[in-house]
Amino acid sequence: MSSTCVVGLQWGDEAKGKIVDWLCDAHDVVVRYQGGANAGHTVVAEGVTYKLSLIPTGILRPGIGCVIGNGVVVHPPAFLKEVETLVAQGVDVKGRLHVSDRAHVILPHHLAEERLTEESTSSADHLGTTRRGIGPCYRDKVGRVHGVRIGDLYHPERFRVHLARIVEYKNRLLTAMLPDFTPFDADQVAEDYLGYAERMRPYVNDATSWLHESLERGQRLLFEGAQGSLLDVDHGTYPYVTSSNSSAAGIAAGSSVPTRHIDRWIGIVKAYTTRVGGGPFPTEQDNDTGERIRRIGKEYGTVTGRPRRCGWFDAVAVRHSARVSGSTEIAVMLLDVLSGIDPIQVAVAYEDDKGREVKNFPANLADLEKCRPIYKTLPGWQEDITKARTWDELPPAAQTYVDFLSDQVGVPVSIVSVGPERTQTISRGPRTARP
Ligand code: GDP
Ligand code: IMO
Ligand code: MG
């Protein structure tokens, strides 16, 4: 056992990409197991910024194998464009990138279906999605009748017949629901997708067997979560979630690798909280503090450019997600963004509308809406900490703050990040997890 998972414990954008990149030296293969091009993972290495969406972050490290697992939903043009961009940036992808033939395909009608719900007249239907067709594709996957897997694209005759039936159904639905809808031409869609499939041929394989053979050769896998545990379709703030198990719960189903192979379970958090899109956010600061965090932390979505909502760290929410994702250690990211904010607040519990203390994160939005955070106030620090490279170089107030988060969540903090660069990372060394 020497595999690791890196999973977000908030609502996404916790800087998972940076930590996956940082851990690559100790691993052989990076595996994405859920989500799709809704993810935006940023890595800054030697002054160059890379943005990964569908392709595992490990692609930036020569020699690392990269797997897009069966649980991912793949939009072929988005995949091909991302490969092209990486190649243009000088990244060698040859022989290193594996797309599971079991992964599902995002088709043009998925994007139209998402437009339908996101632009419907009832604002209650709006989730504020990334509009990458993620939800509709997963819906068709579990619905079974209209799903298409990557491997299906290599059986052109069967694919054409299947697609014609799907497109006929979707055209009828979308024509009835969208006034300006131009029906899809099934033959054209088939031609386009068979063309993409040809270009993707070097990458597509039976990733399940490939991964298990890698494990048998003693290779170390690094699972790269996308989104965050609070966006998990089962464990997050439903329905304001994504359509996959974006907590660690999705790893086995989405990769085919049983989690008994994993011994490091790293939960990633920001030193504060952000959320992009709709949904509850108890510690949101829609005020000068939130604005300051957004400005200093450059909190704008990697995929959509939307301003991220910003607020204080929510220990109630993270305790829940650390449990669900089995975190044995935590990385606290973007600590530098809090420099100069004094005092700092952390939600340690909630109080409901009857004045009762709520310690566990409520499952239901109606209950969560009634909750107000109970804050603990901690002293801030003024120093610029972006040059700190060891724990001892952090100001005492910053150390106290990180230790407080660890105590509140009940999981040791093993990594602290003080800037976007690879090198701006403080390792506190291996720590023992709580029993
Ligand atoms: P991901 O989706 O979880 O990989 O996170 P994103 O890449 O969407 O967002 C994290 C952002 O924070 C990126 O722009 C990173 O370059 C940046 N970042 C990562 N770590 C730090 C840090 O410690 N300090 C600061 N200031 N920025 C960071
Ligand atoms: P990374 O991997 C932050 C959010 C969307 C929306 C909800 C559903 O970069 O952390 P979807 O398009 O998935 O159906 O949208 O989930 N969302 C993210 N928020 N980071 C992400 O990915 C996200 N991926 C989806 O904003 O609220
Ligand atoms: Mg992101």
Side-chain angles (χ1 to χ4, degrees), residues 55-75:
I55 295 177
T57 295
I59 203 74
L60 303 178
R61 298 293 195 124
I64 298 269
C66 289
V67 173
I68 294 180
N70 57 278
V72 176
V73 285
V74 179
H75 189 216

Side-chain angles (χ1 to χ4, degrees), residues 285-294 310-312 341 343:
Q285 297 299 300
D286 192 9
N287 54 28
D288 287 351
T289 303
E291 186 50 51
R292 181 190 165 115
I293 292 176
R294 185 176 307 115
C310 300
W312 299 120
I341 300 183

Side-chain angles (χ1 to χ4, degrees), residues 335 379-381 385 391 394-403:
L335 186 65
W381 58 92
I385 59 170
W391 176 253
L394 289 174
Q399 293 178 342
T400 303
Y401 180 71
V402 171
D403 283 338

Side-chain angles (χ1 to χ4, degrees), residues 17-18 21 41-45 48-52 57 60 420 422:
K18 170 174 167 167
D21 171 71
H41 298 178
T42 316
V43 174
V44 185
V48 183
T49 300
Y50 301 88
K51 290 189 185 298
L52 288 310
T57 295
L60 303 178
R422 260 179 202 163

Side-chain angles (χ1 to χ4, degrees), residues 8 12-18 39-44 49 51 57 224-225 227 268 270 272 296-302 308 332-337 386 416-421 424:
D13 301 328
E14 299 91 346
K16 301 173 289 294
K18 170 174 167 167
H41 298 178
T42 316
V43 174
V44 185
T49 300
K51 290 189 185 298
T57 295
E224 177 176 6
Q227 292 79 57
I268 313 292
K270 279 182 174 158
Y272 47 93
I296 311 271
K298 301 192 177 68
E299 293 293 359
Y300 294 87
T302 312
R308 294 175 183 149
V332 174
M333 312 301 289
L334 294 104
L335 186 65
D336 53 299
V337 175
T386 56
V416 176
S417 174
V418 294
E421 267 282 348
Q424 291 176 299

